[in-house]
Amino acid sequence: MVRITLSLVVAFLLTGCAASDIAENAVITPKTVTVAQAATDGPHFYWYTFRPNQPITLNERVFTSNQGQYQASYRWRSGKLFELYQQGQQRVDGSVTPFSLQLRFDSDGLAVFQRYQQGQTIVPLTNAAIAKLHRQVLRLAAKVEQLSQHRHSWVQGHWQQQQFIPCQQQQAVDVIAQSSAEKLSGQGYMAVSGQLQQGQLMVDDILLQRPQLQCLVAPNLLKQ
């Protein structure tokens, strides 16, 4: 009888702690970070909203050197990946082809909806391919959170007449360049890794430079 009573007490305490953790996490204001990474296939830009150990939304823009570009949005519910939408270009049979991919999951991580389109063709995904995508998104969220902890910040703007004008303001800032970004040149849009503080832009590297590109915003492809 004593053992049963102690077990019930322990179970009650554990349940209370879990409920307290959930309630505490629910009132924590979500945090949004924007980070970037110069990967081997091209620059990746991320907008990530989360609470501690609980992803909420993740949006990305990717510019590859040989496959074109794509954008994606991912959404979680109660800490579980719920939905993803990828859209852009990918290389299929040697040529760059438009594609779109939508997946929706249940609480067990099983797909309850899928739509994968290459050009004008609907392509069914295998369960193994869906499971792989699910794992990739979870790893991506963990990686982005790690990047934010290591301050992989980026600044975007337009380089005009040897001046850098950040997207969030209309006034040129002083540029302090380092490493491979010592000589900034060209005209038009530019995204750099670095920090903007007190009217000075510290540039570590150039991530993306396009003459006609507008300032990047989070894609937000998913309907509410």
Side-chain angles (χ1 to χ4, degrees):
M1 190 67 181
V2 173
R3 291 181 181 177
I4 295 176
T5 303
L6 288 174
S7 298
L8 289 173
V9 170
V10 171
F12 175 79
L13 290 174
L14 290 175
T15 303
C17 290
S20 176
D21 291 341
I22 294 173
E24 181 180 353
N25 201 34
V27 299
I28 296 176
T29 302
K31 181 180 180 180
T32 298
V33 296
T34 57
V35 296
Q37 183 181 34
T40 55
D41 62 339
H44 294 234
F45 302 92
Y46 304 106
W47 296 258
Y48 183 44
T49 301
F50 63 102
R51 293 187 178 95
N53 301 316
Q54 188 180 75
I56 300 175
T57 60
L58 172 59
N59 297 284
E60 67 172 335
R61 296 284 304 270
V62 178
F63 297 82
T64 66
S65 56
N66 61 355
Q67 298 192 54
Q69 58 179 289
Y70 73 87
Q71 55 187 345
S73 293
Y74 311 96
R75 180 164 57 194
W76 284 255
R77 283 187 178 177
S78 302
K80 302 286 186 178
L81 180 61
F82 171 67
E83 192 173 11
L84 70 83
Y85 194 144
Q86 298 177 343
Q87 176 182 287
Q89 299 167 317
Q90 61 184 188
R91 189 168 292 277
V92 179
D93 297 330
S95 62
V96 176
T97 304
F99 85 98
S100 64
L101 169 63
Q102 293 176 268
L103 286 173
R104 195 172 297 125
F105 303 94
D106 63 14
S107 58
D108 295 321
L110 300 177
V112 295
F113 173 82
Q114 67 157 290
R115 181 181 174 85
Y116 177 38
Q117 184 170 345
Q118 293 179 349
Q120 301 300 318
T121 305
I122 302 297
V123 182
L125 290 171
T126 64
N127 291 335
I130 293 173
K132 181 179 179 180
L133 281 165
H134 190 277
R135 292 192 300 270
Q136 288 175 341
V137 175
L138 298 186
R139 287 198 297 266
L140 178 62
K143 183 184 78 171
V144 172
E145 188 164 350
Q146 186 177 34
L147 288 174
S148 70
Q149 293 172 357
H150 289 83
R151 301 183 181 277
H152 281 242
S153 58
W154 60 288
V155 181
Q156 59 176 332
H158 288 85
W159 184 253
Q160 299 174 356
Q161 299 177 349
Q162 301 302 309
Q163 290 185 318
F164 188 87
I165 304 175
C167 288
Q168 64 265 41
Q169 62 189 62
Q170 299 299 318
Q171 184 175 357
V173 297
D174 294 330
V175 176
I176 303 175
Q178 295 181 342
S179 66
S180 62
E182 290 182 357
K183 293 183 179 180
L184 305 183
S185 62
Q187 296 287 329
Y189 176 86
M190 183 182 294
V192 301
S193 59
Q195 294 185 346
L196 178 62
Q197 293 181 340
Q198 298 179 348
Q200 288 188 329
L201 175 63
M202 179 72 72
V203 178
D204 296 322
D205 201 359
I206 299 174
L207 296 171
L208 182 65
Q209 192 168 8
R210 298 286 175 86
Q212 303 299 326
L213 193 64
Q214 299 296 317
C215 294
L216 300 180
V217 296
N220 194 22
L221 301 175
L222 299 173
K223 296 180 180 179
Q224 296 298 325

